[in-house]
Amino acid sequence: VEEGYTLENISYSIHDTASRNVMDTEFCIIPRDAKSVYPNDELIHKYNVESYGGTPLIDSKGRMLGILCLLHDKPLSKKERVDDILNIFANRIANEIERANIENQTLNATEKLSFHIQNSPLAYVECDENFKVVGWNPAAQRLFGYREREVLGKPVSQYIFENAQQANQDKTIREIMANLHGSFTRTQ
C-alpha cells in the first residue's frame, strides 16, 4: 500500500538489498537510515525509504514462499511492535498462498483424472450410495450401449445386469464393492 493505494506485487533483484538480508537472517528491521545501510537497494531508493521491516513467508513445511516488507518514509519507533505485526501478517499470507497452491494442485489432479477417465479404454461407472449412476465414460457407453445422459441418476443395475432380479443385483454390487475396497464407500 502506498499512500492509501494498493500496489501490485513486485519482483526485483535482491542482491545487496535488505530483502536479501531477510532471506539470510529470517527477520530484518532497519529503524532508520535504510538508504545508507543499503545504498544499492533500488526499492529503498525508489520509494525514498527511511525505515524497513521484512520477514519471510514460510509455508507449513518450512519452505520460503516469498518476503513481506514494510517500507516507511519515516523512522520506526517501536521495533518490537513492527516485528509482531509483520509476523502476524506473514503467517496469514503464507497460509493463504499455501491454501491457494493446494487448491490449484487439487484442481490440476482432478482435471488429469477426469481426462484419463474420459479417455480410458476401460469402462468407468461411478455410483452413489444408492447405486445410482453419477459417472459414465465413453468406454462404458461402448460396452453397455447407453449414453451418459441416459443413465445418470438411474440405478446402475438397470443397465449392467439387464436379466437379473433387482435384489440380487444390488447384493452382487455390494459384494463386488466390498471385495474391491474392503468396504462399501460412498460418493457424495
Side-chain angles (χ1 to χ4, degrees):
V1 178
E2 180 182 11
E3 296 181 10
Y5 296 99
T6 301
L7 302 176
E8 295 295 319
N9 290 334
I10 60 168
S11 296
Y12 71 106
S13 173
I14 62 170
H15 183 68
D16 288 333
T17 67
S19 296
R20 176 76 238 179
N21 195 31
V22 171
M23 290 183 69
D24 293 339
T25 63
E26 294 186 5
F27 181 77
C28 177
I29 191 157
I30 303 164
R32 65 182 44 81
D33 300 321
K35 287 187 283 191
S36 62
V37 175
Y38 288 98
N40 297 324
D41 190 326
E42 65 182 71
L43 191 65
I44 285 177
H45 290 277
K46 177 180 178 180
Y47 291 106
N48 197 30
V49 173
E50 175 65 20
S51 56
Y52 171 97
T55 190
L57 302 173
I58 307 293
D59 72 8
S60 63
K61 294 181 180 168
R63 297 177 296 205
M64 182 177 283
L65 302 172
I67 297 171
L68 175 65
C69 300
L70 168 71
L71 309 173
H72 203 302
D73 61 357
K74 295 182 177 35
L76 295 176
S77 58
K78 297 180 180 177
K79 182 179 173 182
E80 297 79 19
R81 189 170 177 197
V82 171
D83 182 12
D84 291 340
I85 290 170
L86 278 176
N87 282 326
I88 289 168
F89 279 103
N91 287 333
R92 181 71 177 126
I93 291 167
N95 287 337
E96 283 301 310
I97 290 171
E98 187 171 20
R99 183 201 56 75
N101 288 342
I102 291 169
E103 190 174 285
N104 285 336
Q105 290 169 359
T106 302
L107 180 62
N108 288 338
T110 301
E111 288 173 354
K112 285 179 184 177
L113 178 60
S114 178
F115 173 82
H116 289 296
I117 287 171
Q118 290 304 310
N119 293 288
S120 174
L122 303 175
Y124 172 82
V125 177
E126 182 181 355
C127 300
D128 66 10
E129 67 275 3
N130 297 313
F131 303 111
K132 299 217 172 156
V133 177
V134 295
W136 189 270
N137 74 350
Q141 177 181 331
R142 287 189 298 277
L143 181 64
F144 300 112
Y146 299 98
R147 292 186 177 159
E148 183 179 39
R149 68 174 182 255
E150 296 175 286
V151 299
L152 287 180
K154 297 180 182 164
V156 69
S157 57
Q158 183 176 328
Y159 300 97
I160 293 180
F161 303 108
E162 292 182 33
N163 297 323
Q165 293 181 355
Q166 186 71 32
N168 288 335
Q169 296 165 6
D170 290 343
K171 180 181 175 195
T172 302
I173 291 170
R174 283 188 193 278
E175 288 172 0
I176 290 169
M177 293 178 86
N179 287 331
L180 290 176
H181 303 294
S183 65
F184 175 70
T185 56
R186 292 183 171 206
T187 302
Q188 299 289 345

